[in-house]
Short mmCIF file of all heavy atoms in Angstrom, two decimals:
data_model
loop_
_atom_site.label_atom_id
_atom_site.label_comp_id
_atom_site.label_asym_id
_atom_site.label_seq_id
_atom_site.Cartn_x
_atom_site.Cartn_y
_atom_site.Cartn_z
N ILE C 150 22.83 143.75 107.88
CA ILE C 150 24.08 143.13 107.44
C ILE C 150 23.85 141.68 107.06
O ILE C 150 24.26 141.21 105.99
CB ILE C 150 25.15 143.25 108.54
CG1 ILE C 150 25.57 144.72 108.67
CG2 ILE C 150 26.35 142.39 108.22
CD1 ILE C 150 26.46 144.98 109.85
N THR C 151 23.14 140.97 107.93
CA THR C 151 22.88 139.55 107.66
C THR C 151 22.11 139.40 106.35
O THR C 151 22.43 138.55 105.51
CB THR C 151 22.07 138.93 108.81
OG1 THR C 151 22.62 139.39 110.03
CG2 THR C 151 22.11 137.43 108.77
N ARG C 152 21.09 140.24 106.17
CA ARG C 152 20.26 140.16 104.96
C ARG C 152 21.12 140.36 103.71
O ARG C 152 21.05 139.58 102.76
CB ARG C 152 19.15 141.21 105.06
CG ARG C 152 18.12 141.12 103.96
CD ARG C 152 16.75 141.64 104.41
NE ARG C 152 16.81 142.56 105.55
CZ ARG C 152 17.00 143.88 105.44
NH1 ARG C 152 17.17 144.43 104.26
NH2 ARG C 152 17.02 144.63 106.52
N GLN C 153 21.97 141.38 103.72
CA GLN C 153 22.77 141.67 102.53
C GLN C 153 23.79 140.57 102.26
O GLN C 153 24.03 140.22 101.11
CB GLN C 153 23.48 143.01 102.67
CG GLN C 153 22.58 144.21 102.48
CD GLN C 153 21.79 144.13 101.18
OE1 GLN C 153 22.26 143.64 100.16
NE2 GLN C 153 20.55 144.59 101.24
N LEU C 154 24.37 140.01 103.33
CA LEU C 154 25.36 138.95 103.13
C LEU C 154 24.70 137.72 102.52
O LEU C 154 25.27 137.06 101.64
CB LEU C 154 26.05 138.61 104.44
CG LEU C 154 27.08 139.62 104.90
CD1 LEU C 154 27.72 139.19 106.20
CD2 LEU C 154 28.15 139.81 103.85
N GLU C 155 23.49 137.40 102.99
CA GLU C 155 22.76 136.28 102.39
C GLU C 155 22.49 136.56 100.91
O GLU C 155 22.66 135.70 100.05
CB GLU C 155 21.43 136.04 103.12
CG GLU C 155 21.56 135.62 104.58
CD GLU C 155 22.33 134.31 104.74
OE1 GLU C 155 22.34 133.50 103.81
OE2 GLU C 155 22.94 134.11 105.82
N ALA C 156 22.10 137.80 100.62
CA ALA C 156 21.71 138.15 99.25
C ALA C 156 22.87 137.98 98.28
O ALA C 156 22.66 137.63 97.13
CB ALA C 156 21.18 139.57 99.21
N VAL C 157 24.11 138.25 98.73
CA VAL C 157 25.24 138.10 97.80
C VAL C 157 26.00 136.79 98.05
O VAL C 157 27.13 136.62 97.60
CB VAL C 157 26.21 139.29 97.89
CG1 VAL C 157 25.52 140.57 97.48
CG2 VAL C 157 26.79 139.41 99.29
N GLU C 158 25.37 135.89 98.79
CA GLU C 158 25.91 134.54 99.04
C GLU C 158 27.26 134.59 99.75
O GLU C 158 28.21 133.90 99.38
CB GLU C 158 26.00 133.76 97.72
CG GLU C 158 24.65 133.67 97.05
CD GLU C 158 24.69 132.90 95.73
OE1 GLU C 158 25.79 132.51 95.31
OE2 GLU C 158 23.62 132.67 95.17
N LEU C 159 27.37 135.44 100.73
CA LEU C 159 28.61 135.51 101.53
C LEU C 159 28.33 135.25 103.01
O LEU C 159 29.18 135.53 103.85
CB LEU C 159 29.26 136.89 101.37
CG LEU C 159 29.91 137.22 100.04
CD1 LEU C 159 30.38 138.66 100.02
CD2 LEU C 159 31.06 136.27 99.76
N GLY C 160 27.15 134.73 103.32
CA GLY C 160 26.76 134.55 104.72
C GLY C 160 27.76 133.74 105.52
O GLY C 160 27.97 134.00 106.71
N GLN C 161 28.43 132.78 104.87
CA GLN C 161 29.37 131.91 105.60
C GLN C 161 30.66 132.63 105.98
O GLN C 161 31.38 132.20 106.87
CB GLN C 161 29.74 130.69 104.74
CG GLN C 161 28.57 129.92 104.19
CD GLN C 161 27.68 129.38 105.30
OE1 GLN C 161 28.17 128.82 106.27
NE2 GLN C 161 26.37 129.58 105.18
N LEU C 162 30.96 133.73 105.26
CA LEU C 162 32.27 134.35 105.40
C LEU C 162 32.26 135.60 106.27
O LEU C 162 33.25 136.34 106.31
CB LEU C 162 32.81 134.73 104.02
CG LEU C 162 32.92 133.57 103.03
CD1 LEU C 162 33.34 134.07 101.66
CD2 LEU C 162 33.94 132.55 103.53
N ALA C 163 31.15 135.83 107.00
CA ALA C 163 30.97 137.10 107.70
C ALA C 163 32.16 137.49 108.57
O ALA C 163 32.53 138.65 108.64
CB ALA C 163 29.70 137.04 108.54
N ALA C 164 32.77 136.49 109.22
CA ALA C 164 33.82 136.83 110.19
C ALA C 164 35.22 136.86 109.57
O ALA C 164 36.18 137.18 110.24
CB ALA C 164 33.79 135.83 111.34
N LYS C 165 35.32 136.50 108.27
CA LYS C 165 36.65 136.43 107.64
C LYS C 165 37.17 137.83 107.32
O LYS C 165 36.41 138.70 106.90
CB LYS C 165 36.53 135.65 106.32
CG LYS C 165 36.34 134.18 106.53
CD LYS C 165 37.59 133.46 106.11
CE LYS C 165 37.50 132.03 106.57
NZ LYS C 165 37.95 131.06 105.63
N PRO C 166 38.48 138.04 107.46
CA PRO C 166 39.00 139.33 107.00
C PRO C 166 38.95 139.40 105.48
O PRO C 166 39.06 138.38 104.80
CB PRO C 166 40.45 139.33 107.50
CG PRO C 166 40.73 137.96 107.99
CD PRO C 166 39.46 137.20 108.13
N VAL C 167 38.78 140.61 104.97
CA VAL C 167 38.55 140.78 103.55
C VAL C 167 39.73 140.30 102.72
O VAL C 167 39.56 139.78 101.61
CB VAL C 167 38.21 142.25 103.26
CG1 VAL C 167 38.28 142.55 101.79
CG2 VAL C 167 36.83 142.57 103.78
N TYR C 168 40.96 140.43 103.24
CA TYR C 168 42.10 140.05 102.39
C TYR C 168 42.16 138.57 102.11
O TYR C 168 42.93 138.14 101.26
CB TYR C 168 43.42 140.56 102.98
CG TYR C 168 43.78 140.01 104.35
CD1 TYR C 168 44.33 138.74 104.48
CD2 TYR C 168 43.57 140.77 105.50
CE1 TYR C 168 44.66 138.25 105.73
CE2 TYR C 168 43.90 140.28 106.74
CZ TYR C 168 44.44 139.02 106.85
OH TYR C 168 44.76 138.53 108.09
N THR C 169 41.36 137.76 102.81
CA THR C 169 41.35 136.33 102.51
C THR C 169 40.33 135.97 101.43
O THR C 169 40.21 134.81 101.08
CB THR C 169 41.02 135.51 103.77
OG1 THR C 169 39.72 135.86 104.21
CG2 THR C 169 42.01 135.78 104.89
N LEU C 170 39.57 136.97 100.95
CA LEU C 170 38.53 136.67 99.97
C LEU C 170 39.09 136.68 98.54
O LEU C 170 40.09 137.32 98.26
CB LEU C 170 37.41 137.73 100.06
CG LEU C 170 36.20 137.40 100.93
CD1 LEU C 170 36.64 137.03 102.33
CD2 LEU C 170 35.24 138.57 100.98
N SER C 171 38.37 135.97 97.65
CA SER C 171 38.75 136.01 96.23
C SER C 171 38.24 137.31 95.61
O SER C 171 37.43 138.02 96.21
CB SER C 171 38.14 134.83 95.49
OG SER C 171 36.76 135.09 95.26
N GLY C 172 38.72 137.62 94.41
CA GLY C 172 38.32 138.86 93.76
C GLY C 172 36.81 138.95 93.57
O GLY C 172 36.21 139.99 93.82
N GLY C 173 36.20 137.83 93.12
CA GLY C 173 34.75 137.85 92.90
C GLY C 173 34.00 138.06 94.19
O GLY C 173 33.02 138.82 94.26
N GLN C 174 34.47 137.37 95.24
CA GLN C 174 33.80 137.52 96.54
C GLN C 174 33.91 138.97 97.03
O GLN C 174 32.95 139.53 97.55
CB GLN C 174 34.43 136.57 97.56
CG GLN C 174 34.04 135.13 97.32
CD GLN C 174 34.88 134.18 98.16
OE1 GLN C 174 36.04 134.45 98.45
NE2 GLN C 174 34.28 133.05 98.55
N ARG C 175 35.08 139.57 96.83
CA ARG C 175 35.25 140.96 97.26
C ARG C 175 34.28 141.87 96.51
O ARG C 175 33.70 142.78 97.07
CB ARG C 175 36.68 141.43 96.97
CG ARG C 175 37.66 140.83 97.93
CD ARG C 175 39.02 141.42 97.68
NE ARG C 175 40.02 140.49 98.17
CZ ARG C 175 41.31 140.77 98.30
NH1 ARG C 175 41.73 141.97 97.95
NH2 ARG C 175 42.14 139.89 98.76
N GLN C 176 34.11 141.60 95.21
CA GLN C 176 33.22 142.46 94.45
C GLN C 176 31.78 142.32 94.94
O GLN C 176 31.06 143.32 95.06
CB GLN C 176 33.29 142.10 92.97
CG GLN C 176 32.58 143.12 92.13
CD GLN C 176 32.98 143.00 90.69
OE1 GLN C 176 33.03 141.89 90.14
NE2 GLN C 176 33.26 144.11 90.05
N ARG C 177 31.39 141.09 95.29
CA ARG C 177 30.03 140.91 95.80
C ARG C 177 29.89 141.62 97.15
O ARG C 177 28.84 142.18 97.48
CB ARG C 177 29.71 139.42 95.91
CG ARG C 177 29.10 138.90 94.63
CD ARG C 177 29.54 137.52 94.29
NE ARG C 177 29.33 136.57 95.36
CZ ARG C 177 30.01 135.43 95.47
NH1 ARG C 177 30.94 135.14 94.58
NH2 ARG C 177 29.77 134.61 96.46
N LEU C 178 30.97 141.60 97.91
CA LEU C 178 30.93 142.31 99.20
C LEU C 178 30.75 143.82 98.95
O LEU C 178 29.98 144.49 99.65
CB LEU C 178 32.23 142.04 99.97
CG LEU C 178 32.37 142.79 101.28
CD1 LEU C 178 31.23 142.45 102.21
CD2 LEU C 178 33.70 142.47 101.94
N ALA C 179 31.43 144.33 97.93
CA ALA C 179 31.29 145.76 97.63
C ALA C 179 29.85 146.08 97.27
O ALA C 179 29.31 147.13 97.64
CB ALA C 179 32.24 146.16 96.51
N ILE C 180 29.21 145.14 96.53
CA ILE C 180 27.80 145.37 96.17
C ILE C 180 26.93 145.36 97.43
O ILE C 180 26.08 146.23 97.64
CB ILE C 180 27.33 144.28 95.18
CG1 ILE C 180 28.08 144.44 93.86
CG2 ILE C 180 25.83 144.35 94.97
CD1 ILE C 180 27.84 143.32 92.89
N ALA C 181 27.23 144.39 98.31
CA ALA C 181 26.45 144.32 99.56
C ALA C 181 26.63 145.61 100.36
O ALA C 181 25.68 146.13 100.94
CB ALA C 181 26.90 143.12 100.39
N ARG C 182 27.85 146.14 100.37
CA ARG C 182 28.08 147.36 101.14
C ARG C 182 27.32 148.53 100.55
O ARG C 182 26.85 149.41 101.26
CB ARG C 182 29.58 147.68 101.17
CG ARG C 182 29.91 148.74 102.20
CD ARG C 182 31.36 149.06 102.20
NE ARG C 182 31.77 149.65 100.93
CZ ARG C 182 33.01 150.01 100.67
NH1 ARG C 182 33.96 149.81 101.56
NH2 ARG C 182 33.32 150.55 99.50
N ALA C 183 27.18 148.55 99.23
CA ALA C 183 26.44 149.65 98.62
C ALA C 183 24.96 149.56 98.96
O ALA C 183 24.28 150.57 99.06
CB ALA C 183 26.63 149.64 97.11
#
Side-chain angles (χ1 to χ4, degrees):
Chain C
I150 291 171
T151 317
R152 187 152 22 87
Q153 284 308 324
L154 285 181
E155 296 300 334
V157 297
E158 303 180 355
L159 289 174
Q161 307 300 314
L162 303 175
K165 287 251 169 138
V167 167
Y168 62 79
T169 62
L170 265 54
S171 77
Q174 287 169 329
R175 286 185 204 191
Q176 190 164 45
R177 270 143 54 203
L178 176 59
I180 294 172
R182 193 181 64 181

